[in-house]
């Protein structure tokens, strides 16, 4: 693509371009190549504008996701702090469905600890213990991330604008009250085409996934939002993500939260 004339990009045009890339399954270079001023707060402004557009076109807000909460993810993506993005019902993948290749560009799968909220959680100043007290149930999950940027190359501003590479997510078969688990020690094995390629425990996520939930509540408070009762919270990839091309099969095996199977589907 020809370089854009300087000054072409602002919150509105970046938001429109990102939704168009998503709808057309088109990847692009990161905006910060041309607009270094796209910082994290500007990225959040883009994210919020596109949430409004998603809701306008009939999607429902169902929760939030955290990005880059584990060292494995931060190192791979080259962005060294966590951030928050929106989940709508259009991103819910029914259990047993394959990776929705027909609407994604270059899907990758990552294991996540997922919370369903029993109570509203409003920052600032939320601690891990307060956050966990608001959780109704804990699930294992698979997030199918899909960056609109070529080769997943981005800065913090780019990826916040891109709703943290949101694509789809599916939750596992077992939901437990948080009191029944030691989440720091809950492990996951990542199995790709029958071979275990990676593993981690919940401690990989900020020391405890409840810390990620607290972080989300405190970060959202800066943006004027709370985490609502009934919302789903994806606490962030515990390991690096794995590619999930057509024909692949990914399984995520959790200690107490069951296994999540994802077929790569057809191209
Ligand atoms: C950014 C999305 C990060 C996670 O769990 O860390 C994310 C990316 O890796 O493309 O969903
Ligand atoms: Mg994720």
């Amino acid at each position: 693509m020809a370089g854009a004339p300087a000054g072409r990009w602002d919150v509105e045009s970046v938001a429109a371009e990102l939704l168009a890339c998503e709808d057309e399954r088109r990847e692009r270079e990161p905006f910060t190549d041309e607009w270094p001023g796209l910082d994290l707060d500007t990225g959040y402004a883009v994210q919020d504008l596109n949430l409004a557009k998603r809701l306008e076109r009939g999607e429902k807000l169902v929760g939030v996701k955290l990005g880059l909460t584990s060292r494995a993810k931060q190192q791979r993506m080259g962005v060294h702090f966590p951030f928050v993005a929106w989940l709508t019902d259009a991103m819910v993948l029914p259990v047993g469905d394959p990776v929705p290749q027909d609407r994604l560009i270059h899907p990758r799968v990552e294991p996540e600890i997922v919370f369903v909220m029993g109570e509203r959680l409003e920052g600032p100043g939320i601690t891990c213990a307060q956050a966990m007290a608001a959780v109704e149930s804990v699930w294992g999950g698979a997030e199918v991330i899909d960056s609109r940027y070529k080769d997943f190359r981005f800065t913090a501003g780019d990826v916040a604008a891109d709703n943290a590479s949101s694509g789809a997510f599916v939750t596992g078969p077992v939901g437990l009250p948080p009191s029944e688990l030691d989440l720091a020690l809950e492990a996951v094995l990542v199995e790709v085409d029958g071979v275990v390629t990676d593993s981690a425990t919940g401690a990989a996520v900020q020391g405890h996934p409840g810390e990620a939930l607290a972080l989300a509540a405190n970060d959202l408070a800066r943006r004027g939002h709370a985490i609502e009762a009934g919302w789903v919270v994806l606490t962030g990839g515990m390991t690096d993500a794995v590619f999930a091309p057509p024909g692949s099969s990914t399984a995520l095996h959790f200690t107490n939260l069951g296994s999540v199977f994802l077929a790569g589907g057809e191209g």
Side-chain angles (χ1 to χ4, degrees):
M1 193 184 114
R8 169 179 163 194
W9 297 115
D10 58 13
V11 168
E12 282 73 24
S13 57
V14 166
E17 170 69 356
L18 279 171
L19 271 195
C21 285
E22 193 174 316
D23 292 344
E24 297 160 22
R25 295 177 67 203
R26 173 164 57 80
E27 61 184 13
R28 57 161 297 116
E29 302 299 338
F31 297 98
T32 49
D33 284 0
E34 296 169 7
W35 183 24
L38 175 56
D39 58 10
L40 185 64
D41 282 340
T42 312
Y44 277 147
V46 172
Q47 204 190 89
D48 287 350
L49 184 55
N50 275 348
L51 173 66
K53 290 190 193 174
R54 288 178 209 274
L55 299 182
E56 242 164 61
R57 71 187 188 190
E59 294 177 39
K60 299 212 162 34
L61 180 59
V62 298
V64 288
K65 56 169 278 181
L66 284 113
L68 308 190
T69 49
S70 66
R71 200 183 328 225
K73 289 282 313 182
Q74 291 181 358
Q75 278 174 348
R76 165 67 70 159
M77 310 321 288
V79 174
H80 295 276
F81 49 87
F83 49 87
V84 185
W86 302 112
L87 295 175
T88 74
D89 61 344
M91 300 167 194
V92 175
L93 187 65
V95 174
D97 273 21
V99 174
Q101 303 284 353
D102 58 342
R103 64 177 179 82
L104 301 179
I105 303 165
H106 41 199
R108 301 180 72 181
V109 175
E110 56 194 19
E112 305 217 9
I113 300 290
V114 180
F115 293 137
V116 174
M117 302 304 296
E119 285 166 33
R120 187 169 200 263
L121 191 63
E122 186 172 15
I126 295 295
T127 63
C128 179
Q130 287 170 329
M132 290 310 297
V135 172
E136 182 178 84
S137 55
V138 183
W139 305 75
E143 185 181 14
V144 185
I145 53 171
D146 191 40
S147 180
R148 266 52 67 179
Y149 302 116
K150 194 162 180 283
D151 301 327
F152 282 76
R153 181 175 72 88
F154 47 65
T155 67
D158 294 304
V159 68
D162 191 27
N163 203 40
S165 309
S166 64
F169 68 95
V170 58
T171 39
V174 182
L176 293 175
S179 57
E180 288 188 24
L181 282 169
D182 183 343
L183 262 187
L185 286 175
E186 179 71 12
V188 68
L189 301 181
V190 178
E191 183 188 324
V192 180
D193 298 332
V195 178
V196 174
T197 58
D198 211 343
S199 62
T201 70
V205 175
Q206 301 288 295
H208 189 290
E211 293 283 1
L213 176 59
L215 191 153
N218 294 331
D219 207 68
L220 282 170
R222 286 202 309 129
R223 297 159 69 186
H225 300 282
I227 295 177
E228 302 295 340
W231 275 14
V232 174
V233 179
L234 302 186
T235 57
M238 302 162 74
T239 65
D240 190 13
V242 295
F243 280 105
S248 64
S249 75
T250 312
L252 307 175
H253 306 287
F254 292 85
T255 316
N256 297 290
L257 298 173
S259 294
V260 184
F261 299 94
L262 257 183
E266 286 166 23

